[in-house]
Amino acid sequence: MSRRKAFTYLLGVSFIAGIARETLRKKNQKSTSVEDSLITGFVGIWSFADSLSSQNKTLIIDDQSRLFINKKPVNGSVAHLDEQKLVFIDHYGYKLVFRLVNNETLTLFDSADDKKYTLTLLSDNPPSFS
């Protein structure tokens, strides 16, 4: 193969790879922005009464889909997210199922305790945790 043909071939392959990379990057950006808009209804500082300990607790959901109970992180990940429901699976495999009732109320079903809680919004501006 001549040098000119090899150069043309490499130039074409590079061009196609660049287009493919850009397409994938844009696709990832779109899915991230959709997730960001879906999590918005759940983001905030929430309060709920824990009947087991007879205490009010706070639950924080941040814009990165992380959960904190009384400012302590809950290890796990989001398994499902839509406009009305957020399913978080903790590191033990138990599900925390949040359902949006209205802008100031969530319900939480904790599969570990087999209990349902009502959460009330205290603030829609949670602190940032690093």
Side-chain angles (χ1 to χ4, degrees):
M1 184 184 304
S2 72
R3 284 187 174 191
R4 185 175 176 103
K5 284 184 180 180
F7 177 75
T8 304
Y9 175 76
L10 286 174
L11 186 64
V13 169
S14 296
F15 180 73
I16 291 170
I19 290 174
R21 183 176 44 246
E22 187 66 20
T23 302
L24 288 172
R25 187 181 67 78
K26 285 184 179 181
K27 182 180 178 185
N28 287 340
Q29 281 180 342
K30 285 181 184 178
S31 66
T32 300
S33 66
V34 168
E35 281 181 18
D36 289 347
S37 67
L38 291 175
I39 195 68
T40 306
F42 298 93
V43 170
I45 302 172
W46 303 87
S47 175
F48 67 100
D50 183 4
S51 59
L52 296 175
S53 65
S54 301
Q55 296 179 3
N56 277 342
K57 293 191 175 185
T58 58
L59 181 133
I60 297 171
I61 302 174
D62 71 7
D63 59 356
Q64 297 175 10
S65 304
R66 296 180 300 178
L67 272 63
F68 301 86
I69 296 179
N70 292 337
K71 297 184 181 178
K72 294 179 183 167
V74 178
N75 295 324
S77 61
V78 173
H80 176 82
L81 177 62
D82 64 34
E83 295 87 3
Q84 298 295 316
K85 184 167 124 180
L86 165 65
V87 178
F88 187 89
I89 299 180
D90 70 13
H91 65 287
Y92 296 112
Y94 290 106
K95 290 181 182 180
L96 299 172
V97 181
F98 299 90
R99 292 188 187 274
L100 192 60
V101 176
N102 59 44
N103 291 340
E104 297 180 358
T105 308
L106 291 178
T107 60
L108 163 61
F109 175 75
D110 183 351
S111 67
D113 299 336
D114 198 27
K115 294 192 84 172
K116 188 175 182 180
Y117 302 92
T118 300
L119 286 69
T120 305
L121 183 65
L122 298 176
S123 170
D124 59 3
N125 191 15
S128 62
F129 295 97
S130 297

